[in-house]
Amino acid sequence: MQQHNVLILDFGSQYTQLIARRVRELNIYCEIHPYNKIPQNLNDFKAVILSGSPSSVRSEEAPHPDLSEIRGKKPLLAVCYGAQYLAHFSGGLVAPSNTREYGRANLSYVKEGEEFLANISKGSQVWMSHSDTIKELPTNGKLLASTNDVENAAYKIDGEKTYAIQFHPEVYHSTDGKQLLQNFLVTIAGVAQTWTPDSFVDETVAGLKAKVGNDKVVLGLSGGVDSTVAAVLLHKAIGSNLHCIFVNNGLLRKNEYTDVLKQYEGMGLNVKGVDASARFLNELAGLSDPEAKRKAIGKVFIDVFDDEANQIEDAKWLAQGTIYPDVIESVSVNGGPSATIKSHHNVGGLPDFMKLKIVEPLRMIFKDEVRRVGKSMGIDAELLGRHPFPGPGLAIRILGDITSEKVRILQEVDAIFINGLKESGLYNKVWQAGAILLPVNSVGVMGDERTYEKVVALRAVESTDGMTADWVNLPYEFLQKTSNNIINKVKGVNRVVYDISSKPPATIEWE
């Protein structure tokens, strides 16, 4: 990227990527680097943000970077752990909170006349996520904001452009988080708002041309937003040297294999369909552990792509639609300290036997950014509005072992649910929806006869990025109709439940 405007130092928070997303919503480019790998040349960066962390500043193992080239020399915003770090090591006091400070809170005090808090008023909702709290401000620290439970919710350091907050402005639930970041980055730090989807396309295409050259690239299409946008970007860069493969892993939605192939007709992409469903189901036979299933699917994907790539003369690269949430939940970005939540089949590199190098045009952007980039390139709005679907497919929505019969049941259930959302005008109001086949049977009555059949859970969430999500309060009438349709039309199911868990603490998928 030509514009290196904001540096985000990652202390291991699962929310670090959301800081980047919020910054980019302001049309400002940013980079994330681990706290222990601060770039040597800081001249390109006009401001620095310190992330949160699962660590406590009171721990001997806590992240402890040298900020001597940043503090007082660059506008600095410290978030959560960052705010506690500045306090703990600069004359303040950080101690365990009497109660865990987690979830929604409201500002009970906002200091007037502060440009950092411009257009943010008393009562504004913020999101807390910490077990320690700042009892005393650091040297020269001045209180800016409080909540009922957190006195030192925001402060600044006199004589510096250094600001600190104990809440998370990057998450959806901090209603004025974007405004606060704009106040800091634009008003205080003077960062230019020049990074747009169009600029991303131009820079990415130029970068792909330089990286790939005249080499041939194999890309795995899924029919979803990410792989499609990645394909169009690569097609702009290398044209006919891009070879797209759509694999039927036997775990797709009902009729999805044929529907997706039709979807790509007329887009100018070179697409080949490969039906490897039997191969995947054989590999999954007897596996119940979710990580084992993910790894098995990843292995077969690699094998299939290797087979197909060997049929393409001089293929040098494997392209993937990897995006930020995939990376943050599998391994920390750039080798940073974030904790692993779950593995993703398209993250983590290739085995030595495979001679392809990886290219990931979307690795550093979020789902909403991917959609904006796709829109700027003229991709059909219906395709861009499609719900996310997990790479391992229905394998991680079937709890327990996988059989063809279980796949059939879940495909039928999922089709009724998704089609019902579309017919009721609810599909575009939901970020992601799907059905989960539970590893339990329940007693039921059908036609005066006892049944003992499967239970399915329906899941629908609203989100902007997949890092946090709230369950959707679907109308009771819709849920009632959907439940009746599933039980009456899908042989093998006699009970339907609805998942009302949010992320966090749950994840969107059950496995």
Side-chain angles (χ1 to χ4, degrees):
M1 294 294 176
Q2 296 176 356
Q3 305 169 56
H4 300 254
N5 289 329
V6 176
L7 170 64
I8 301 171
L9 291 183
D10 179 17
F11 288 94
S13 171
Q14 295 298 329
Y15 296 148
T16 300
Q17 311 305 321
L18 294 187
I19 300 176
R21 180 188 153 275
R22 286 291 196 191
V23 171
R24 290 174 186 176
E25 284 182 351
L26 296 169
N27 294 334
I28 294 172
Y29 180 70
C30 56
E31 288 186 356
I32 297 173
H33 291 263
Y35 74 91
N36 54 0
K37 295 182 182 178
I38 299 175
Q40 292 184 349
N41 183 9
L42 294 172
N43 293 331
D44 291 334
F45 300 103
K46 294 187 176 181
V48 179
I49 299 176
L50 307 182
S51 83
S53 173
S55 301
S56 167
V57 294
R58 300 176 295 104
S59 168
E60 293 183 1
E61 294 79 27
H64 190 178
D66 178 7
L67 300 179
S68 59
E69 294 303 312
I70 296 174
R71 176 87 184 268
K73 299 178 181 179
K74 301 275 185 183
L76 176 64
L77 173 61
V79 176
C80 196
Y81 176 90
Q84 295 176 2
Y85 176 86
L86 293 183
H88 182 72
F89 291 105
S90 302
L93 175 65
V94 176
S97 175
N98 292 331
T99 59
R100 190 161 188 256
E101 295 165 353
Y102 181 86
R104 296 175 178 85
N106 296 95
L107 297 180
S108 57
Y109 166 74
V110 175
K111 186 175 181 181
E112 295 183 0
E114 287 289 336
E115 57 185 359
F116 180 63
L117 297 172
N119 299 313
I120 299 174
S121 59
K122 181 179 176 180
S124 176
Q125 179 178 285
V126 297
W127 182 265
M128 296 288 185
S129 182
H130 54 264
S131 54
D132 287 344
T133 195
I134 299 171
K135 296 291 187 181
E136 296 178 13
L137 294 177
T139 303
N140 297 324
K142 302 298 180 183
L143 180 66
L144 296 183
S146 306
T147 69
N148 289 331
D149 295 323
V150 182
E151 179 182 0
N152 298 310
Y155 65 88
K156 69 176 181 179
I157 305 295
D158 274 354
E160 303 176 15
K161 290 184 177 180
T162 297
Y163 297 82
I165 50 179
Q166 283 206 81
F167 55 89
H168 289 268
E170 67 273 23
V171 302
Y172 176 77
H173 307 290
S174 289
T175 53
D176 291 321
K178 185 176 179 180
Q179 179 66 57
L180 186 143
L181 288 172
Q182 180 173 321
N183 293 342
F184 171 71
L185 293 171
V186 180
T187 305
I188 295 171
V191 182
Q193 295 175 276
T194 55
W195 190 74
T196 64
D198 287 340
S199 69
F200 174 83
V201 171
D202 292 341
E203 292 173 358
T204 301
V205 169
L208 289 169
K209 287 180 179 179
K211 183 174 186 175
V212 176
N214 292 320
D215 293 345
K216 293 180 181 179
V217 177
V218 182
L219 181 144
L221 283 174
S222 68
V225 178
D226 304 333
S227 64
T228 301
V229 173
V232 175
L233 279 168
L234 279 158
H235 185 70
K236 282 180 172 289
I238 63 174
S240 61
N241 278 343
L242 173 65
H243 295 260
C244 300
I245 299 170
F246 177 54
V247 176
N248 181 9
N249 61 5
L251 302 160
L252 302 174
R253 285 179 157 140
K254 184 178 179 180
N255 300 326
E256 190 167 20
Y257 181 55
T258 55
D259 290 346
V260 167
L261 288 176
K262 290 179 181 178
Q263 187 177 43
Y264 286 117
E265 291 178 2
M267 289 185 66
L269 300 174
N270 177 18
V271 183
K272 177 183 179 182
V274 178
D275 188 354
S277 53
R279 196 167 171 179
F280 279 89
L281 291 174
N282 287 338
E283 190 72 25
L284 286 165
L287 297 182
S288 296
D289 179 77
E291 281 297 287
K293 290 192 287 188
R294 286 176 182 272
K295 286 179 169 56
I297 289 168
K299 174 184 178 298
V300 180
F301 262 117
I302 293 295
D303 291 342
V304 171
F305 281 123
D306 190 44
D307 291 344
E308 294 301 319
N310 286 332
Q311 298 179 36
I312 302 170
E313 187 176 356
D314 296 327
K316 299 287 182 62
W317 300 84
L318 174 64
Q320 300 186 137
T322 308
I323 62 173
Y324 254 179
D326 298 337
V327 175
I328 192 60
E329 288 195 341
S330 297
V331 291
S332 177
V333 173
N334 295 335
S338 298
T340 296
I341 301 298
K342 63 179 74 167
S343 64
H344 288 261
H345 76 276
N346 58 343
V347 179
L350 296 172
D352 292 337
F353 73 82
M354 199 168 184
K355 299 176 182 178
L356 299 178
K357 295 175 286 186
I358 290 180
V359 57
E360 297 170 317
L362 308 176
R363 185 180 178 88
M364 300 301 286
I365 63 176
F366 288 94
K367 178 72 73 174
D368 56 323
E369 292 179 311
V370 174
R371 288 193 169 105
R372 291 200 295 270
V373 168
K375 182 179 180 180
S376 75
M377 295 190 296
I379 297 176
D380 182 75
E382 184 177 348
L383 194 155
L384 292 176
R386 196 173 177 213
H387 289 178
F389 188 66
L394 299 181
I396 59 169
R397 292 183 178 176
I398 297 173
L399 275 57
D401 66 320
I402 311 296
T403 67
S404 58
E405 175 61 11
K406 290 180 180 179
V407 172
R408 179 199 67 78
I409 290 173
L410 191 55
Q411 283 178 333
E412 296 292 338
V413 171
D414 178 86
I416 291 172
F417 185 31
I418 298 300
N419 290 336
L421 288 170
K422 292 178 178 178
E423 292 167 2
S424 301
L426 296 169
Y427 185 83
N428 292 329
K429 298 178 181 179
V430 173
W431 191 77
Q432 182 171 335
I436 301 93
L437 183 64
L438 305 186
V440 294
N441 285 22
S442 74
V443 174
V445 178
M446 291 185 182
D448 294 328
E449 293 184 3
R450 178 185 185 274
T451 62
Y452 191 57
E453 295 178 331
K454 296 293 182 184
V455 180
V456 293
L458 305 183
R459 178 87 158 130
V461 299
E462 54 185 2
S463 179
T464 55
D465 43 57
M467 297 300 290
T468 61
D470 278 332
W471 63 278
V472 178
N473 189 6
L474 294 175
Y476 288 151
E477 294 80 6
F478 170 80
L479 290 173
Q480 181 184 43
K481 180 180 179 181
T482 302
S483 175
N484 287 340
N485 283 339
I486 289 170
I487 293 172
N488 288 331
K489 296 179 180 179
V490 183
K491 185 179 179 180
V493 175
N494 69 355
R495 192 178 298 269
V496 177
V497 298
Y498 187 55
D499 182 352
I500 57 170
S501 308
S502 293
K503 175 185 180 180
T507 53
I508 294 175
E509 300 293 344
W510 282 38
E511 291 191 340

